[in-house]
Amino acid sequence: MSPTLSPQSLALAQTLVRMNTVSANSNLQLIDLAQSHLAALGVKSRITYNAERTKANLFATLGEGKPAGVIVSGHTDTVPWDGQDWSVDPLSATLQNERLYGRGSADMKSFIAIALSNARRFLESDSPFAVHFAFSYEEEIGCFGVKELIADMRDAGIKPLACIVGEPTSMVPAIAHKGVYRYRCCVRGKEAHSSLTPQSVNAIEMAARVVGKVRDMAEGFERSEPRYEGFDVPFSTASVGQFHGGIADNVVPRDAEFRYEFRDLPTADAKRMQADVRAYAAGLEPAMKKVAPDAGFSFETICEIPSFLGAATDPVTLLAQRLAGEDRTTLVAFGTEAGLFKNAGIPTVVCGPGSIEQAHQPDEFVSLEQLARCELFMERLATSHTIG
């Protein structure tokens, strides 16, 4: 018999999807709703804000006083939909053909809604461990919020047993993903009339040499890096996503800027990759400074999301398999907050409803069948007495 989705879980999922929590906006409407929902059940929430107090994380413990707990983790922000060809309003939470449509329906407001909808079940459980809710901001642009949440949890002496990150994996537990490391490189040269190039430092040309280095590294990964089978692309990748520079055809450009990223295997070293780029750029600077002492390169970190590597034999993986009714595990290509939880010493797995193939796309959706499976997952978690 197929699991069924409760009307209250579906209604709450629709409510959350209708909130515009694109990363550039505040998420406080969603956090306030979650906090109020939990407060009505007598649950206190820990709130950590960004510097401007326009965004917040929520951390709550259901089963206060129990020795340890399992984190149920989700991010509240979504990517924008500007320029995408939607057939429905992205904030409409439309129900059609046994699917819930809308931005964030798969990634990942439905998971948060089902967790909240089952809060009373967790409170009334006789399970020996608590359940923690961890809802973060700005995951989509760099996992910035969860870093504050983890730091607050550590400062409060909260030491969970395990963490389940509810990103869309079609309810198949995922035990690994690549990291995402993005950087901005700014090049300062020396401008001159293009007829006097020996008196100049061409920022675009210097930037292009470093872009070439990034491309050479990408080709090296593809050619010789040890494979990690199971990923769609079983080696690390590097790519340049943006390039800007120059003001006119007859002016040697003083400034240039480009952005690039590494997506490293869990077995690779992204920090070493970035160090190699910086070392290459430093090798170009002496010749640049002979012409213009202030010429050179500067680098800015945009985001650093560590890779994640668990194991099929980890107790938290076995728990997720049991709750999901799955004997499989998978690897995912996208980044999540799992690596940050794992690096904080918390055994972690990624498992949630929907598919990443629908996330970030026009007409994003999650099937009601997947949501029903997720609700059954939560029900089983509430009655679980062991991890693993």
Side-chain angles (χ1 to χ4, degrees):
M1 181 176 177
S2 299
T4 57
L5 177 66
S6 67
Q8 59 266 29
S9 288
L10 177 57
L12 189 51
Q14 289 181 286
T15 297
L16 299 193
V17 168
R18 289 174 181 140
M19 296 178 178
N20 186 345
T21 58
V22 169
S23 300
N25 302 336
S26 172
N27 73 333
L28 293 184
Q29 183 185 16
L30 193 157
I31 292 297
D32 289 346
L33 181 150
Q35 186 176 17
S36 297
H37 181 89
L38 294 172
L41 298 173
V43 178
K44 296 180 180 179
S45 300
R46 298 179 64 87
I47 306 295
T48 50
Y49 292 92
N50 66 345
E52 299 77 23
R53 297 183 72 84
T54 57
K55 301 177 183 180
N57 304 304
L58 180 147
F59 186 91
T61 299
L62 292 85
E64 196 76 48
K66 294 181 180 180
V70 175
I71 295 175
V72 172
S73 170
H75 65 81
T76 62
D77 61 320
T78 70
V79 297
W81 55 86
D82 301 5
Q84 292 186 333
D85 185 17
W86 285 69
S87 65
V88 298
D89 180 346
L91 296 178
S92 65
T94 297
L95 288 175
Q96 186 175 308
N97 300 323
E98 294 297 301
R99 296 171 174 177
L100 171 60
Y101 287 87
R103 177 57 85 224
S105 56
D107 186 16
M108 55 179 298
K109 290 180 175 179
S110 295
F111 179 83
I112 293 174
I114 291 172
L116 284 169
S117 182
N118 282 272
R120 183 180 296 278
R121 192 186 304 273
F122 293 129
L123 285 170
E124 296 173 351
S125 167
D126 64 355
S127 171
F129 52 81
V131 169
H132 304 293
F133 289 167
F135 304 148
S136 64
Y137 66 85
E138 289 188 351
E139 187 272 349
E140 293 288 6
I141 59 174
C143 292
F144 296 116
V146 75
K147 295 176 183 178
E148 301 298 325
L149 185 151
I150 290 172
D152 178 70
M153 186 175 62
R154 182 186 60 240
D155 293 344
I158 300 168
K159 299 179 179 180
L161 293 168
C163 176
I164 299 168
V165 178
E167 293 275 10
T169 65
S170 300
M171 297 306 299
V172 179
I175 59 174
H177 66 66
K178 292 182 178 180
V180 183
Y181 290 75
R182 293 195 180 108
Y183 304 97
R184 180 168 75 118
C185 178
C186 294
V187 187
R188 172 55 61 91
K190 183 179 184 297
E191 62 193 355
H193 192 282
S194 60
S195 65
L196 301 172
T197 55
Q199 299 176 18
S200 68
V201 177
N202 190 313
I204 288 180
E205 292 176 357
M206 294 300 103
R209 291 187 179 185
V210 182
V211 169
K213 170 64 176 177
V214 174
R215 180 58 194 167
D216 288 344
M217 293 173 68
E219 292 176 356
F221 300 150
E222 184 171 4
R223 183 174 57 251
S224 58
E225 186 179 44
R227 279 8 187 194
Y228 197 116
E229 298 304 332
F231 284 108
D232 292 341
V233 180
F235 48 84
S236 299
T237 60
S239 63
V240 175
Q242 296 186 54
F243 194 111
H244 308 281
I247 60 172
D249 293 345
N250 60 352
V251 178
V252 176
R254 184 190 69 174
D255 295 297
E257 171 189 320
F258 63 95
R259 299 187 179 205
Y260 59 101
E261 73 167 22
F262 298 110
R263 290 185 179 260
D264 62 307
L265 291 174
T267 48
D269 184 352
K271 295 294 184 71
R272 181 66 222 172
M273 296 173 188
Q274 173 63 359
D276 288 348
V277 173
R278 294 183 70 113
Y280 181 83
L284 299 174
E285 287 187 331
M288 298 167 66
K289 291 182 180 298
K290 283 183 179 180
V291 179
D294 63 342
F297 297 85
S298 62
F299 292 87
E300 175 189 345
T301 299
I302 298 172
C303 74
E304 293 182 331
I305 304 172
S307 61
F308 164 62
L309 181 59
T313 55
D314 287 345
V316 68
T317 305
L318 299 175
L319 172 66
Q321 286 180 303
R322 178 160 52 83
L323 301 180
E326 283 284 350
D327 57 8
R328 300 173 292 163
T329 61
T330 188
L331 312 182
V332 293
F334 54 93
T336 79
E337 297 170 337
L340 290 159
F341 283 109
K342 177 76 182 294
N343 290 352
I346 305 168
T348 301
V349 69
V350 183
C351 187
S355 169
I356 199 65
E357 292 181 2
Q358 277 75 55
H360 300 194
Q361 301 299 309
D363 288 348
E364 177 181 343
F365 73 85
V366 62
S367 72
L368 299 190
E369 181 270 337
Q370 280 283 298
L371 297 187
R373 286 190 61 189
C374 182
E375 184 144 67
L376 180 58
F377 183 101
M378 297 292 180
E379 293 172 4
R380 288 170 174 168
L381 176 61
T383 59
S384 180
H385 285 69
T386 60
I387 303 295

